[in-house]
Amino acid sequence: MRLWTFRDPNEWRAAEKAGRLRADGRRVMERGFRPAYRWMMSQMRKRIVGYGGRFPLWAWAEKGPADLRRAGHGTKGSEMLLVTCEVPAERVLLSDFAAWHFALNGWHLGLTEAEDASWERRWQHRKPDQLPPAARRRMERSWERMFDFKALAASKEINGDRATQAVLEELMVPDEVVSVRAFVAR
């Protein structure tokens, strides 16, 4: 499976020395996102045979590499690398980028207006850690819809970028690397 990931040059040099690129969780931008990352790790454990429990390494699984003229691929003005790789599909978990934000923000992922309204009437403005255990489990089960591309495409409730993101445990360097391209983030 062809994937693209954006990496810091220092991180990449360390990966070249180690022979593998792994995430360690230090780059999780906001501490409040850690519960969503842990949830994604639990999904990796369920869905990827042999997953060892490390933080997810994020990549894109699109038809082609991202447009480097756009912003959002790193801190403006910083040197970055676009790494193209080929990884066995059984080591990759794909999900919808827009739907991932429901887990990231602790929102219920409803597929219909009625489902959203029902959830909001009962649990409006409650953070995940403020929900009773059964409601929290229901919310987390709703996040599993991010892996159901057909259901998401049929839903009028989930808007936004229909980009496909990928998580994997590690990238073997250089064996799984196709190319590395330097650029300056906009």
Side-chain angles (χ1 to χ4, degrees), residues 17-99:
K17 279 184 181 177
R20 69 187 74 222
L21 176 64
R22 291 179 173 164
D24 60 15
R26 289 182 296 165
R27 289 179 175 81
V28 176
M29 293 166 35
E30 191 174 307
R31 288 256 186 252
F33 291 164
R34 286 189 183 269
Y37 275 68
R38 282 191 293 278
W39 177 83
M40 182 61 85
M41 291 164 70
S42 76
Q43 294 301 306
M44 292 170 76
R45 204 169 356 279
K46 283 172 44 176
R47 298 165 187 263
I48 299 175
V49 174
Y51 170 67
R54 290 182 184 84
F55 264 85
L57 183 63
W58 296 86
W60 295 101
E62 294 296 310
K63 294 178 181 126
D67 182 352
L68 299 179
R69 297 170 295 182
R70 291 182 50 209
H73 304 308
T75 304
K76 185 177 180 176
S78 66
E79 290 182 31
M80 293 293 293
L81 300 173
L82 171 62
V83 178
T84 303
C85 50
E86 284 283 339
V87 178
E90 59 272 9
R91 290 188 22 231
V92 178
L93 177 58
L94 300 176
S95 61
D96 180 88
F97 176 68

Side-chain angles (χ1 to χ4, degrees), residues 96 98-99 102 109-111 116 151-152 155-160 162:
D96 180 88
F102 285 76
L109 177 52
L111 294 178
D116 280 342
L152 291 170
S155 174
K156 293 182 175 98
E157 294 300 296
I158 311 302
N159 299 315
R162 295 271 57 106

Side-chain angles (χ1 to χ4, degrees), residues 131-174:
L131 293 170
R136 168 100 187 185
R137 284 190 299 277
R138 183 173 158 213
M139 182 183 62
E140 289 181 357
R141 277 194 310 274
S142 81
W143 297 344
E144 292 188 30
R145 294 169 170 168
M146 75 176 68
F147 309 113
D148 188 344
F149 295 98
K150 191 180 279 190
L152 291 170
S155 174
K156 293 182 175 98
E157 294 300 296
I158 311 302
N159 299 315
D161 190 358
R162 295 271 57 106
T164 302
Q165 62 184 8
V167 290
L168 62 155
E169 188 164 22
E170 63 185 357
L171 175 65
M172 303 311 290
V173 179

